[in-house]
Amino acid sequence: MPHQTLWSGRFKEPLAEIALNFSSSIDLDKLLYAEDIGGSIAHVEMLGACKILTSSEMRRLRTALKNIQKEIETGKFQLTGEFEDVHSAIEQRLTQKVGPLGGKLHTARSRNDQIALDERLFLRSSIREISKLIVNLQRVLLYKAEKYFGVLMPGYTHTQRAQPVLLSHHLLAYIFMLERDFERLQDCRKRLNKSPLGAAAFAGTSFPIDRQMVADKLQFDGIVENSIDAVSDRDFIIEFISACSLTMMHLSRFAEELVLWTTKEFSFAQISDAYTTGSSIMPQKKNPDMAELVRGKTGRLYGSLFNILTTMKALPLAYNRDMQEDKQPMFEAVQTTRQCLFIFAHVLVHTAFAKEHLNEELRTDFLTATDMADYLVTRGIPFREAHEITGKIVQYCIEHKMYFGNLDLETLKQFSSKFEGGIFEVILPQKSVEHKQSAGSTNPHEVRKQIVFWTKTLGKRRV
Ligand code: ARG
């Protein structure tokens, strides 16, 4: 039997059961019970302070709300589908416990400002958790960058081998990307951390409430000034999901690299058995499923972003029930981003890079062709011409099944008289990275600087 709704007065008939089932959001918004009760307690205390409730009414309501929280947490009170939403469920339980006084909780409040409050509180703590997970992943990356400092790998453009770089340089690139993700979340928090409570349905209330007091109690940085804005917008959720989508995009790119690097074809890295899976038919298989799932789950975030953007598009002000549909993308985004950051850090801890193999791959290729061309430039040949000459040498090597390492000076001189003995050092992969001079380059000194910077920055970071 459905419980009574919060609004039955003007209706001759109760809500049809199938209409309730269709419109109830409790299966999702029950996750907001703690925020909802925390918000109600702050509201009740403010009503007491403003003499809208007597202090004994305030205390009775507050105690009962705390008890309901315990009842939910111990399973004594279950938030089931017979309620319209988490707010109705808690208010009805309150009335069961304290009688008609329970009906005073909603003085100067609407579910419209209440849900906006719950969501802001929920996302504020989610931002904190996700930020911590980002920092954790950054620390794992830094640990690996430190551990493999000095190891060279082929860098790629177009997924074609391009130039040698330090593996640490590559790993550090992700630390920088994650840093921007971290900053975006902190920025999002600034705009989100304002209290909408007191907007009531949307027009405000005739009771002499103190919105700032509620905001202070709940550690908001202020109130959402305009009461219509306070209940109408969900831009803070969209901003949050958009920030998480970028984080997932970064994770997905790294996941893709792990998938490639752990193939036999690349053999750059190995993920330990505990973080890989087998095949039900092919006994030899070892699959990088965790990385693949991170890559795959990125779609959920993009889906959530488009979901809520589309829901909000063209909604007239102020509240519309459509907005209840914001829960699914919001929870989905939080849960998936959290899960993926968490597992990815573990996968990375348990990934070993194949130093020797990477070295060998660099030796048997032409990754220092740019260095050869640059060498000719330092000897007076215009870069375009030097590029052409080097290209011809690569072509010669391919035709003769050779690598740069097999060339002798006599052969090189046939391509340009400017070649001297020094070229053989220039085309060593190790020298290639050492000769880089620009800030932020793969030169080991530059990479070391970045490691030092991140060790300091992440070492003292508290989220
Ligand atoms: N469950 C609703 C939601 O999430 C709460 C607000 C309901 N307001 C209303 N006027 N029906 O949007």
Side-chain angles (χ1 to χ4, degrees), residues 141 169 269 357 371 425:
L141 282 159
H169 191 204
H357 179 73
D371 303 275
E425 197 181 276

PDB file of all heavy atoms in Angstrom, residues 141 169 269 357 371 425:
ATOM      1  N   LEU A 141      51.895   7.470 -10.362  1.00  0.00           N
ATOM      2  CA  LEU A 141      52.616   7.832 -11.591  1.00  0.00           C
ATOM      3  C   LEU A 141      54.007   8.383 -11.260  1.00  0.00           C
ATOM      4  O   LEU A 141      54.997   8.052 -11.906  1.00  0.00           O
ATOM      5  CB  LEU A 141      51.824   8.887 -12.372  1.00  0.00           C
ATOM      6  CG  LEU A 141      50.637   8.357 -13.176  1.00  0.00           C
ATOM      7  CD1 LEU A 141      49.646   9.472 -13.481  1.00  0.00           C
ATOM      8  CD2 LEU A 141      51.124   7.721 -14.480  1.00  0.00           C
ATOM      9  N   HIS A 169      59.149  10.794 -18.693  1.00  0.00           N
ATOM     10  CA  HIS A 169      58.583  11.979 -19.337  1.00  0.00           C
ATOM     11  C   HIS A 169      57.131  11.711 -19.743  1.00  0.00           C
ATOM     12  O   HIS A 169      56.239  12.529 -19.527  1.00  0.00           O
ATOM     13  CB  HIS A 169      59.446  12.291 -20.567  1.00  0.00           C
ATOM     14  CG  HIS A 169      59.185  13.615 -21.215  1.00  0.00           C
ATOM     15  ND1 HIS A 169      59.481  13.864 -22.530  1.00  0.00           N
ATOM     16  CD2 HIS A 169      58.668  14.765 -20.743  1.00  0.00           C
ATOM     17  CE1 HIS A 169      59.159  15.110 -22.830  1.00  0.00           C
ATOM     18  NE2 HIS A 169      58.664  15.680 -21.764  1.00  0.00           N
ATOM     19  N   ALA A 269      55.304  -3.528 -21.620  1.00  0.00           N
ATOM     20  CA  ALA A 269      54.922  -3.618 -20.212  1.00  0.00           C
ATOM     21  C   ALA A 269      54.167  -4.909 -19.947  1.00  0.00           C
ATOM     22  O   ALA A 269      53.660  -5.544 -20.876  1.00  0.00           O
ATOM     23  CB  ALA A 269      54.040  -2.425 -19.846  1.00  0.00           C
ATOM     24  N   HIS A 357      63.911  -4.600 -23.246  1.00  0.00           N
ATOM     25  CA  HIS A 357      63.210  -4.689 -24.513  1.00  0.00           C
ATOM     26  C   HIS A 357      63.037  -3.304 -25.141  1.00  0.00           C
ATOM     27  O   HIS A 357      63.233  -3.112 -26.349  1.00  0.00           O
ATOM     28  CB  HIS A 357      61.836  -5.351 -24.323  1.00  0.00           C
ATOM     29  CG  HIS A 357      61.037  -5.452 -25.568  1.00  0.00           C
ATOM     30  ND1 HIS A 357      61.353  -6.358 -26.566  1.00  0.00           N
ATOM     31  CD2 HIS A 357      59.981  -4.743 -26.019  1.00  0.00           C
ATOM     32  CE1 HIS A 357      60.502  -6.197 -27.575  1.00  0.00           C
ATOM     33  NE2 HIS A 357      59.665  -5.215 -27.268  1.00  0.00           N
ATOM     34  N   ASP A 371      67.464  13.918 -35.131  1.00  0.00           N
ATOM     35  CA  ASP A 371      68.770  14.362 -34.602  1.00  0.00           C
ATOM     36  C   ASP A 371      69.811  14.407 -35.717  1.00  0.00           C
ATOM     37  O   ASP A 371      70.669  15.291 -35.755  1.00  0.00           O
ATOM     38  CB  ASP A 371      69.227  13.400 -33.501  1.00  0.00           C
ATOM     39  CG  ASP A 371      68.189  13.302 -32.396  1.00  0.00           C
ATOM     40  OD1 ASP A 371      68.214  14.153 -31.495  1.00  0.00           O
ATOM     41  OD2 ASP A 371      67.321  12.404 -32.458  1.00  0.00           O
ATOM     42  N   GLU A 425      77.698   9.659 -32.404  1.00  0.00           N
ATOM     43  CA  GLU A 425      77.207   9.892 -31.055  1.00  0.00           C
ATOM     44  C   GLU A 425      75.792  10.496 -31.124  1.00  0.00           C
ATOM     45  O   GLU A 425      74.892  10.099 -30.391  1.00  0.00           O
ATOM     46  CB  GLU A 425      78.147  10.839 -30.325  1.00  0.00           C
ATOM     47  CG  GLU A 425      77.901  10.776 -28.838  1.00  0.00           C
ATOM     48  CD  GLU A 425      78.784  11.705 -28.053  1.00  0.00           C
ATOM     49  OE1 GLU A 425      79.922  11.300 -27.764  1.00  0.00           O
ATOM     50  OE2 GLU A 425      78.329  12.830 -27.766  1.00  0.00           O
TER      51      GLU A 425
END
